Amino acid sequence: MIDLYTWTTPNGRKVSILLEELGVPYKVHAIDITKDEQFALDFLKIAPNNRIPAIVDQETGLQLMESGAIMMYLADKYKKFQCEGPEYWPMVEWLMWQMGGLGPMLGQTHHFVKYNKGKSEYAEKRYAAETQRLYTVLNMRLEGRDFIAGAGRGTYSIADMACWPWVSRFEWQEVDLDAFPNIKDWYLRIAERPAVQAGYSVPKYTTDVPMP
Ligand SMILES: N[C@@H](CCC(=O)N[C@@H](CS)C(=O)NCC(=O)O)C(=O)O
């Protein structure tokens, strides 16, 4: 059994979507970050960086924070949704691209462009431009491919599951997915998966999966 500590955010949904795709039993613990529950001492023992998501694997006792590490752990444990052989490291490369680029930069876009519009023209322009740049990179990567990593047209993997919840906030980012047709096709391909629909509503329903 996996204990999942999470909230209704892209980083949380990355892991709930993976757990739904794996079809393994897991127990959800909602950590309401709008009520500062991420700072509770019990949670800090599991996630010392006071951020969701985090997991505890009850079979092994392993505690993990950082969504990228959690996804790599679960994919390795269950030997699913990870690319094999020479395709493994390019998958990690794109997972790290999400962890170091797409996630943190789009997080800033949400902060300045959605929640604090008008407070800093410089920051809004900076993160809007970075958002466009990152979408352009992903759109190019998806040219001729169905999924981000893997040979040929690609294999659905944790690299896709890591990026997808961030793209699902395209409206917050003021991104027109019609300008990125490869991303739009990829987004819709993943959005229709039942496990993605289920994982999107963990720990609770907020909205339907956004549809461009
Ligand atoms: N690099 C971390 C980032 C986690 C993160 O930023 N989580 C956000 C929600 S998406 C959070 O817990 N925010 C709480 C806060 O800002 O205090 C990961 O990928 O797990």
Side-chain angles (χ1 to χ4, degrees):
M1 170 73 81
I2 304 288
D3 282 305
L4 169 64
Y5 297 79
T6 193
W7 192 241
T8 56
T9 69
N11 285 321
R13 286 173 176 149
K14 285 153 66 171
V15 178
S16 50
I17 287 171
L18 174 57
L19 284 164
E20 290 289 335
E21 291 283 12
L22 288 167
V24 297
Y26 68 103
K27 185 172 171 195
V28 178
H29 305 262
I31 304 292
D32 186 344
I33 64 173
T34 69
K35 294 187 180 147
D36 281 351
E37 289 178 2
Q38 70 274 32
F39 297 104
L41 289 180
D42 280 355
F43 181 60
L44 288 189
K45 285 183 199 149
I46 300 166
N49 194 38
N50 51 62
R51 295 278 191 275
I52 64 92
I55 62 162
V56 178
D57 184 340
Q58 296 296 351
E59 276 174 34
T60 62
L62 181 72
Q63 301 183 168
L64 275 181
M65 61 174 188
E66 286 296 325
S67 55
I70 294 169
M71 296 182 95
M72 290 177 76
Y73 172 73
L74 292 173
D76 182 62
K77 177 177 169 110
Y78 295 104
K79 304 288 176 227
K80 276 184 166 176
F81 303 114
Q82 58 181 358
C83 300
E84 302 294 341
E87 303 301 330
Y88 179 79
W89 287 109
M91 177 200 73
V92 174
E93 173 185 52
W94 283 95
L95 180 66
M96 293 302 130
W97 176 81
Q98 185 284 309
M99 290 295 293
L102 191 74
M105 293 300 110
L106 296 189
Q108 296 301 315
T109 305
H110 297 169
H111 184 79
F112 287 106
V113 173
K114 175 169 170 68
Y115 285 114
N116 291 286
K117 208 176 244 317
K119 289 203 183 138
S120 169
E121 190 187 338
Y122 173 80
E124 277 179 53
K125 273 194 185 156
R126 173 179 164 85
Y127 292 110
E130 181 64 358
T131 298
Q132 290 293 315
R133 187 190 71 78
L134 288 160
Y135 270 76
T136 303
V137 170
L138 184 57
N139 198 58
M140 280 167 57
R141 172 62 181 180
L142 287 167
E143 182 67 39
R145 306 179 67 90
D146 294 334
F147 298 108
I148 293 172
R153 294 195 66 87
T155 308
Y156 181 49
S157 76
I158 53 174
D160 300 288
M161 290 178 230
C163 293
W164 186 90
W166 284 99
V167 172
S168 78
R169 290 205 160 150
F170 59 91
E171 285 164 336
W172 291 22
Q173 298 146 14
E174 300 183 1
V175 167
D176 176 6
L177 281 189
D178 286 332
F180 302 100
N182 300 329
I183 297 181
K184 186 175 175 182
D185 289 351
W186 165 88
Y187 177 81
L188 291 170
R189 186 174 301 121
I190 294 172
E192 70 189 12
R193 297 178 68 89
V196 172
Q197 300 272 340
Y200 190 83
S201 286
V202 173
K204 63 172 187 175
Y205 175 86
T206 52
T207 63
D208 288 350
V209 170
M211 286 297 170

